[in-house]
Amino acid sequence: KCSPGFKSLRMSKMKKVLSFALEIGHVDRIPNMKRVKDKRPPIVTFTLGQLADFIAAGERMGPAAHIAALLTADMGLRAGEVCGLPWGDVNLERCEVIVCHNGSEGSGNTPKGTVGTLTMSQALHRALTVHRTREPIGPLVLYRTHRRGEWVPYNQPALHRLLQAICKEAGLGEQCSGRFLRHSCLTAMGDLGASPVEIQSHARHALLSTTERYLHPQQQRHAADAMARLDLARGGRKDPV
């Protein structure tokens, strides 16, 4: 069974072929082909309480786990961006992180979204300040011990295993990934009242339509507030819900 997205892709290619056939006179007309809409499933995320439990579990497991938990669940960085974060992009004095590297793509710019400067959470700033004095001191923020006893950078599979271990420690199961935690972080920002533009800026989404996927709870509240204000204007309820 083909997905709606795959069907639309095939129809798009077929339309190009028919357009060329029409241009050279092999067909008289192009049939009307409607795009099949691909309905994305709703995003399932951790609650604010579960995010707090996840970060607390990371802190119990050690410095690397704590910082990985904060970078993913508190800051919403992608897994590759966590792996590729160098100390040169961390400004502890200004409490900022520049996101412009990706561990899965070498030292080039992050392949998704845009390069951006993010303000650290207070918890991340405290953890990085202490971590900066620890061994190993290398160009990257996070390292792991290889089975041969050597310090090596985190790659995405190793980070994924670490995040799963943190989830298990927190009692949240083991089905956890950097993508899931990024979704949870951005959704939590929307739940706490951040505007779509604010979330887009933090997430470094190129398109606002991408950000809007994380705003369904906030949109429901805005709709309820709008109706409450309308009722207030008509002499009904006194306060927005």
Side-chain angles (χ1 to χ4, degrees):
K1 185 179 179 179
C2 298
S3 68
F6 181 77
K7 290 179 181 178
S8 294
L9 177 62
R10 302 301 295 177
M11 290 175 64
S12 175
K13 292 183 178 296
M14 180 62 71
K15 190 173 182 179
K16 289 181 180 179
V17 172
L18 291 173
S19 296
F20 178 72
L22 178 66
E23 183 179 340
I24 62 177
H26 282 351
V27 296
D28 296 329
R29 62 184 183 85
I30 299 176
N32 184 25
M33 294 183 292
K34 294 183 179 180
R35 182 178 181 274
V36 181
K37 293 184 178 181
D38 186 6
K39 294 184 178 180
R40 294 186 177 182
I43 296 175
V44 179
T45 62
F46 280 156
T47 64
L48 285 169
Q50 289 172 324
L51 285 173
D53 291 342
F54 177 83
I55 292 171
E59 186 173 12
R60 292 195 299 271
M61 291 177 61
H66 188 206
I67 290 173
L70 288 168
L71 288 172
T72 52
D74 217 23
M75 296 291 292
L77 266 63
R78 301 178 179 92
E81 294 166 350
V82 173
C83 296
L85 181 65
W87 282 112
D89 291 345
V90 176
N91 190 326
L92 292 173
E93 291 185 0
R94 300 187 60 168
C95 200
E96 292 177 345
V97 174
I98 302 173
V99 184
C100 60
H101 292 89
N102 189 298
S104 65
E105 300 292 337
S107 59
N109 288 345
T110 176
K112 287 188 175 182
T114 59
V115 172
T117 300
L118 305 180
T119 300
M120 299 181 205
S121 65
Q122 294 181 3
L124 178 61
H125 183 266
R126 289 193 297 268
L128 287 177
T129 300
V130 175
H131 187 60
R132 189 71 180 92
T133 64
R134 294 191 180 103
E135 294 290 345
I137 301 298
L140 298 178
V141 171
L142 288 181
Y143 289 88
R144 59 191 173 94
T145 305
H146 194 269
R147 56 179 172 269
R148 295 193 299 267
E150 302 171 350
W151 290 103
V152 295
Y154 270 90
N155 54 28
Q156 291 198 47
L159 179 65
H160 181 68
R161 291 192 295 270
L162 177 61
L163 297 177
Q164 286 185 318
I166 298 172
C167 276
K168 186 176 180 180
E169 171 69 20
L172 299 171
E174 298 182 40
Q175 299 303 315
C176 185
S177 65
R179 181 182 179 86
F180 178 84
L181 292 165
R182 176 175 169 82
H183 286 178
S184 297
C185 172
L186 300 179
T187 300
M189 289 181 177
D191 289 344
L192 292 171
S195 71
V197 174
E198 289 171 335
I199 299 175
Q200 180 190 20
S201 177
H202 183 87
R204 291 159 289 110
H205 288 149
L207 300 175
L208 186 59
S209 58
T210 305
T211 308
E212 289 173 348
R213 290 196 65 204
Y214 304 93
L215 301 180
H216 48 90
Q218 186 188 33
Q219 288 172 336
Q220 292 171 3
R221 287 201 307 275
H222 287 338
D225 287 349
M227 182 56 67
R229 296 181 192 283
L230 183 60
D231 284 340
L232 179 62
R234 293 172 176 170
R237 293 195 303 268
K238 293 183 179 180
D239 300 308
V241 295

